[in-house]
Amino acid sequence: MARAPSGTPRRTRVKVEPAPTTPDPIEIAMEAEAEGRSPEGVAYRVLEKQERLIGWQIASERAGFALKVLTALAGLAMAVALGLMALQASRAEGVVIEPFSVPPELAARGLTGQVLAAQLQDRLARLQAATYSVRPEASYSSGWGDEISVEIPSTGVSLGELQRFLRGWLGRETRIGGDAYRTADGRLAVTVRAAGGAGDEVTGAEAELPALLQGAAEKLYARTQPYRYAMYLQNRGRMDEARGVLGWLADNGTGRERAWSLAGLSRVEPDNRRALARARLATELAPELAEAWDARSRAASRMGLQPEEVAGLERFIALLKTRNRGGYSEQATAARMRAEEVLAIRRGDYLEARRFAQTTRRDGGNSTIRARALTAMAFDSAMLHEATLARRYVASAALETQPRDMTPGQYRASLERVLQQAAAGIEDWPLAQRHGELSMAALRADPGALSPEQLSINGAWPMQVRSLVFMGRLDEAGRMASDLPMDCMNCLLARATVAEAVGDRTAARRWYDATVRFNPNDWGPPERRGVMLLRFGRDPEGAIAAFRRAAELSPFFADPLEGWGEALMAKGDYRAAIKKFEQAAQRAPRWGRLHLQWGMALAKLGKTDEARVKWRAAATMDLSAADRAQVAALLQKRTT
């Protein structure tokens, strides 16, 4: 056997025995339990402690999970709450009035900054209430009323402060501040500032503090809501001031704001053509603005441009139906009902127009809407030849609070104008002439006096011409007609009426043709021409042609049908006349003269009993003095 080389260490084999292990008490306890023996001693106690430790660990983990869930829910709730606050803040708009800075002596007497701010707020609210406009008003609130003394933990910031910050950051609120101080001469100065801009100051004696606050409120109203302030001035008859504010807006405004101002200027513009031009421009700048179309329809009406008036009314109604809840005031609903009524009038359907006015009266709300609805009901009744009912409505309207969008003179003139139409409807021409004079006198005495052009459009002058013609005062009628403007359909019609009455058929035809060119779809000129041809021209055939054209243009209007029936009677065609009277009665069921003529036609056919039924009905209706006397005489006779 070979030996290992010298110098090489010898390897020694050592046998390593495994170290003895200490028995695990948990294993011993588990083995005992597995063999059916009851665990005891230290092993058992260790096992119990281990079991309790595991239980606590599980409970701790469950509590941690629940805490995490609650924390997440709280965070989510906070995020939702902040989101809602941010959303609400982004929609915040209007004007917030903050407490004033006041001298110590005023505060010592109870006139603190909060008191002055509250009094300013009250005056602003009254200015708003005195303004009639479809444009919505801003909300004025006191800046100290929105504080909520709830603290957000670990921030020291109140919810009120957070809300204010968010409204200022995300919203469109205008914050108003102000101060009161003594001037060098001892007078009291009140200054209001909007959104940190330059202040508006009013100065006076301390005893004049209410007037100073009123002046400050008006300045603030003009600064924060210039269009509505202009409407307030217009409603108060301060026309020049209103034109000044609207003119500034038209020159300095952009887009929609300029359209609002042009629509407002159209309403207060005395020149008819300029009024229409401004309203047209407003609709071009903002075709979605209902107020612009309303102004355009009114301006077109003043000039007798019925197609443009009707188109404007229809667009106005359509826009309000789709946008009434987004950008218009509570007056918008009443304005839409008024437009619906005017459309019915343009169709000659005065029964339907009166129903619209009655609905507005019932559902309209404020006093202005009720008063205007009563006036409309009176006018529609006058056009239906129900003079007594018209006068009753006028009497009720006179007891209502004056409409906010009219001056006292304008309102009085409008009521007299209705009474003038009611008298004309029963051919009481002296009474119609008297009410026409009162209407014009009320306008002339008004602080916001209208121009001759507007007086003519008011309808009083053209109706005066007609009244004078039927009273036989032709020279006066001619002079008045010659003074009327040429851009007014009713004014041209007045000239035609005079020419027909004096027998100048050539001139009459020329003026009637001018009215037709002015507005080919208006039933007024042919109906009026038919009356004049029948009463003065002794031309029943020509009258029938005119009445037929008027009835085509206005199938719901009773007057052309009644006139047609009288023209047929003049020709001796009583059966055809009765058919026209029947049709007219469906449109104006309580027209006294209609029933009188109807009875006359029946009597001519030998139907005496039926005729007397019509005359007895006429006796219960409104009649002129001459017609009433004739009815009484006919009823006294036993035979006809």
Side-chain angles (χ1 to χ4, degrees), residues 15-29:
K15 185 178 181 181
V16 179
E17 295 292 338
T21 57
T22 302
D24 186 352
I26 296 177
E27 291 181 359
I28 295 173

Side-chain angles (χ1 to χ4, degrees), residues 17 37 120 128 135 162-163 167 186 189 199 351 394 399 427 472 518 554 577 632:
E17 295 292 338
R37 294 181 286 111
L120 181 70
Q128 298 243 76
R135 185 163 184 169
L162 179 60
Q163 287 173 334
R167 289 199 305 266
L351 283 173
V394 166
L399 297 176
E427 300 191 17
F518 206 84
S554 181

Side-chain angles (χ1 to χ4, degrees), residues 587-599:
R587 295 154 177 81
R590 291 195 57 78
W591 185 357
R593 180 177 175 82
L594 166 62
H595 284 77
L596 167 62
Q597 296 298 319
W598 194 348

Side-chain angles (χ1 to χ4, degrees), residues 140-167:
Y140 291 104
S141 61
S142 53
W144 63 88
D146 55 4
E147 291 293 340
I148 305 174
S149 58
V150 176
E151 298 291 323
I152 299 177
S154 303
T155 65
V157 180
S158 71
L159 286 179
E161 290 171 343
L162 179 60
Q163 287 173 334
R164 181 179 300 175
F165 168 75
L166 290 174
R167 289 199 305 266

Side-chain angles (χ1 to χ4, degrees), residues 284-527:
E284 292 171 8
L285 289 172
E288 79 290 350
L289 183 61
E291 176 73 356
W293 289 101
D294 187 41
R296 184 168 175 173
S297 70
R298 289 173 185 266
S301 175
R302 284 164 56 176
M303 295 185 64
L305 299 175
Q306 190 182 98
E308 187 168 357
E309 177 196 12
V310 169
L313 286 170
E314 290 174 343
R315 188 69 179 273
F316 175 66
I317 292 167
L319 286 170
L320 283 189
K321 283 182 176 179
T322 58
R323 300 173 182 265
N324 195 21
R325 295 184 179 179
Y328 296 97
S329 70
E330 66 170 358
Q331 280 77 34
T333 301
R336 180 173 63 80
M337 293 300 295
R338 179 202 61 79
E340 297 272 17
E341 182 209 357
V342 174
L343 279 180
I345 288 174
R346 294 296 170 260
R347 297 192 302 268
D349 192 348
Y350 288 96
L351 283 173
E352 181 68 9
R354 187 166 63 184
R355 281 193 287 269
F356 275 120
Q358 289 168 337
T359 300
T360 305
R361 163 73 176 169
R362 185 186 66 243
D363 302 334
N366 64 51
S367 60
T368 294
I369 295 172
R370 291 195 300 272
R372 301 249 352 180
L374 274 171
T375 305
M377 290 158 60
F379 177 78
D380 298 335
S381 298
M383 293 301 294
L384 290 166
H385 307 277
E386 298 180 38
T388 299
L389 185 58
R391 287 192 288 267
R392 190 177 302 147
Y393 285 142
V394 166
S396 297
L399 297 176
E400 290 281 351
T401 303
Q402 175 191 314
R404 286 179 285 171
D405 61 338
M406 303 180 77
T407 64
Q410 289 171 335
Y411 190 44
R412 184 69 254 170
S414 70
L415 297 181
E416 292 292 348
R417 172 72 181 86
V418 171
L419 293 174
Q420 181 190 32
Q421 182 61 55
I426 59 172
E427 300 191 17
D428 190 340
W429 301 111
L431 183 59
Q433 196 260 348
R434 174 60 179 158
H435 284 302
E437 290 178 348
L438 292 173
S439 179
M440 290 188 292
L443 286 173
R444 289 194 183 99
D446 194 87
L450 301 180
S451 66
E453 290 80 9
Q454 288 176 302
L455 281 170
S456 65
I457 299 304
N458 169 261
W461 277 14
M463 182 64 78
Q464 286 295 80
V465 172
R466 192 180 185 200
S467 299
L468 291 170
V469 163
F470 280 95
M471 292 167 65
R473 295 158 60 175
L474 299 182
D475 290 342
E476 292 178 64
R479 287 193 297 272
M480 181 175 286
S482 64
D483 290 336
L484 297 178
M486 299 293 289
D487 60 351
C488 155
M489 189 192 72
N490 285 331
C491 306
L492 298 177
L493 198 53
R495 287 179 165 86
T497 299
V498 173
E500 198 76 69
V502 299
D504 190 347
R505 301 290 293 277
T506 301
R509 183 70 195 184
R510 185 175 67 252
W511 290 117
Y512 280 123
D513 288 345
T515 63
V516 172
R517 288 194 300 272
F518 206 84
N519 187 357
N521 297 316
D522 194 294
W523 49 261
E527 192 275 335

Side-chain angles (χ1 to χ4, degrees), residues 40 237 316 361 626-628:
E40 58 183 12
F316 175 66
R361 163 73 176 169
D627 284 346
R628 188 164 297 282

